[in-house]
Amino acid sequence: MDGKGFDIKLEVAGKRYYIPGRHGDEETEILYREAAKRVGQLLVKYRQHFSKSLEDNQLLTMVAIHLARDVLRLEAEDEVGTYAREIQQWTDKLDEYLKK
């Protein structure tokens, strides 16, 4: 590395992963650690649900799909929020016009 970076060490499903990071970027490191923690929690949940009948790679795929679904839901909510803000702006403009 160039002296400005370091590896964020994470453990998921008993395996270590090293994500390149930058010194001083604590927010990114915290997010990666929280993400790894969330993956681990979901992995335990899916493992319990399927009574260990699936291998870790299959369970991790299900966790990835679960998290991707959550991302899509948030993106849709953000999109709705954007439209709601635009509608509110147009409503405000219309109210101002009608008051004249």
Side-chain angles (χ1 to χ4, degrees):
M1 295 207 138
D2 60 6
K4 295 180 182 177
F6 70 103
D7 286 337
I8 302 167
K9 297 173 186 91
L10 305 172
E11 189 170 323
V12 177
K15 293 186 172 70
R16 287 196 180 164
Y17 297 91
Y18 299 92
I19 308 293
R22 292 189 149 282
H23 286 291
D25 191 359
E26 291 179 26
E27 182 180 349
T28 297
E29 183 175 358
I30 290 169
L31 287 172
Y32 272 114
R33 292 193 187 287
E34 185 60 33
K37 180 180 174 183
R38 182 83 45 94
V39 168
Q41 291 169 339
L42 286 170
L43 184 59
V44 167
K45 178 181 169 183
Y46 277 101
R47 222 182 245 140
Q48 290 170 343
H49 181 75
F50 288 100
S51 303
K52 299 184 181 185
S53 62
L54 298 177
E55 295 177 15
D56 277 352
N57 63 340
Q58 293 169 305
L59 293 169
L60 286 168
T61 299
M62 295 178 77
V63 168
I65 291 168
H66 180 117
L67 293 171
R69 181 210 59 198
D70 289 352
V71 167
L72 291 171
R73 182 181 295 144
L74 289 171
E75 287 174 349
E77 288 174 8
D78 187 48
E79 192 172 296
V80 168
T82 298
Y83 290 131
R85 285 187 293 276
E86 287 180 22
I87 290 170
Q88 186 60 52
Q89 288 173 350
W90 282 106
T91 301
D92 292 345
K93 288 179 182 179
L94 181 60
D95 286 345
E96 284 180 34
Y97 178 77
L98 292 174
K99 287 179 183 177
K100 291 181 180 183

